[in-house]
């Protein structure tokens, strides 16, 4: 039975969003409601393109996001098949679990922002504010994720702590991957993230350490909330509460 027989019967029409996001939303919903169970193969790119009346590059991009979310795996031999029907806390964004990245970022980036505000040079402050302007003007998902990566690296550099810098470099692929996924899923993060980064950058530029740390903490809280709401990570259990130091 093909996708149109198995998935579209009785479904409302796809929302007026970009074709890639429409295909992604439909495939994700189909997998999560177990129309396809673990081990089942999805239809080929050609069949999906015909079903949704889109080009194969659109389908390919949607399948790549499904792979990154840990719901499917694609290979030349088997095509794309289901690996999970629910939230995956170890998506293929990097070698680190998404939950672990969230916890480490709190321990590193909040004090890092405070040090950056205290130690930043005037040149670093100006460069950071200029980068914020570039981020707010960028409309592409990949371009914005690259600028986001630069922003956090610049905060690390402004902190004048090389250990922070190395940790940010190590986490950069995972953080950029999360950013791209959240923007691709269209979960309302784009404009909100602009405001959060602006608050961090301006606090650092103005030398306000406590405000910078607070703004960074708020940003990381919002990122984690978006990951949970998008079901990219599971919500914390009672035993996974924050450890205060």
């Amino acid at each position: 039975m093909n996708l149109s027989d198995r998935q579209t019967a009785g479904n409302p029409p796809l929302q007026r969003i970009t074709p890639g996001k429409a295909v992604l939303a439909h495939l994700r919903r189909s997998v999560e409601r177990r129309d396809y169970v673990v081990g089942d193969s999805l239809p080929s790119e050609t069949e999906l393109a015909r079903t949704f009346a889109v080009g194969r590059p659109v389908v390919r991009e949607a399948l790549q996001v499904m792979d990154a979310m840990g719901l499917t795996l694609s290979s030349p031999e088997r095509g794309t098949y289901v690996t999970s029907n629910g939230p995956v806390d170890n998506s293929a964004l990097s070698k680190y679990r998404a939950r672990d990245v969230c916890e480490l970022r709190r321990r590193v980036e909040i004090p890092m922002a405070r040090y950056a505000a205290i130690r930043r040079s005037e040149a670093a402050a100006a460069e950071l504010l200029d980068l914020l302007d570039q981020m707010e003007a960028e409309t592409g998902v990949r371009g914005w994720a690259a600028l986001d990566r630069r922003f956090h690296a610049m905060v690390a550099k402004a902190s004048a702590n090389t250990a922070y810098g190395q940790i940010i470099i190590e986490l950069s692929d995972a953080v950029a991957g999360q950013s791209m996924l959240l923007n691709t899923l269209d979960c309302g993060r784009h404009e909100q993230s602009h405001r959060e980064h602006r608050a961090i950058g301006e606090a650092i530029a103005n030398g306000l350490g406590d405000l910078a740390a607070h703004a960074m903490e708020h940003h990381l809280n919002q990122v984690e909330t978006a990951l949970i709401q998008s079901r990219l990570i599971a919500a914390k259990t009672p035993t996974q509460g924050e450890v205060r130091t």
Side-chain angles (χ1 to χ4, degrees), residues 25-121:
H26 194 81
L27 291 175
R28 181 179 183 181
R29 185 169 60 248
S30 298
V31 169
E32 290 186 339
R33 72 187 180 192
R34 288 176 168 77
D35 291 330
Y36 291 101
V37 298
V38 173
D40 282 355
S41 294
L42 297 184
S44 67
E45 285 184 8
T46 300
E47 185 175 356
L48 289 171
R50 184 167 55 248
T51 298
F52 291 107
V54 297
R56 288 183 61 184
V58 172
V59 171
R60 190 174 302 118
E61 182 175 343
L63 293 175
Q64 287 171 350
V65 175
M66 292 282 286
D67 282 2
M69 291 168 61
L71 295 175
T72 60
L73 185 64
S74 300
S75 70
E77 296 79 17
R78 290 193 55 182
T80 300
Y81 58 95
V82 177
T83 56
S84 175
N85 290 108
V88 177
D89 197 23
N90 192 22
S91 56
L93 303 178
S94 76
K95 58 187 176 183
Y96 300 115
R97 293 193 314 149
R99 170 66 65 195
D100 294 345
V101 171
C102 288
E103 291 181 358
L104 183 57
R105 291 188 73 188
R106 289 179 182 278
R107 296 288 168 255
V108 172
E109 295 196 61
I110 295 172
M112 182 180 80
R114 178 180 284 109
Y115 282 123
I118 295 170
R119 298 171 176 171
R120 94 287 181 274
S121 66

Side-chain angles (χ1 to χ4, degrees), residues 88-168:
V88 177
D89 197 23
N90 192 22
S91 56
L93 303 178
S94 76
K95 58 187 176 183
Y96 300 115
R97 293 193 314 149
R99 170 66 65 195
D100 294 345
V101 171
C102 288
E103 291 181 358
L104 183 57
R105 291 188 73 188
R106 289 179 182 278
R107 296 288 168 255
V108 172
E109 295 196 61
I110 295 172
M112 182 180 80
R114 178 180 284 109
Y115 282 123
I118 295 170
R119 298 171 176 171
R120 94 287 181 274
S121 66
E122 291 300 322
E127 189 178 3
L128 194 59
L129 293 177
D130 180 65
L131 180 60
L132 285 169
D133 292 339
Q134 294 178 50
M135 292 174 72
E136 290 168 3
E138 178 60 54
T139 58
V141 171
R142 291 184 182 275
W144 194 90
L147 293 173
D148 183 39
R149 185 195 298 249
R150 280 183 57 197
F151 176 86
H152 291 275
M154 286 176 62
V155 174
K157 183 178 179 180
S159 75
N161 184 313
T162 57
Y164 283 148
Q166 288 302 309
I167 293 171
I168 294 302

Side-chain angles (χ1 to χ4, degrees), residues 214-236:
H214 177 75
M216 182 65 81
E217 182 176 17
H218 175 69
H219 170 57
L220 297 178
N221 285 343
Q222 294 305 305
V223 169
E224 184 170 346
T225 297
L227 289 169
I228 293 170
Q229 291 177 343
S230 299
R231 303 190 305 282
L232 295 173
I233 61 174
K236 290 180 180 177

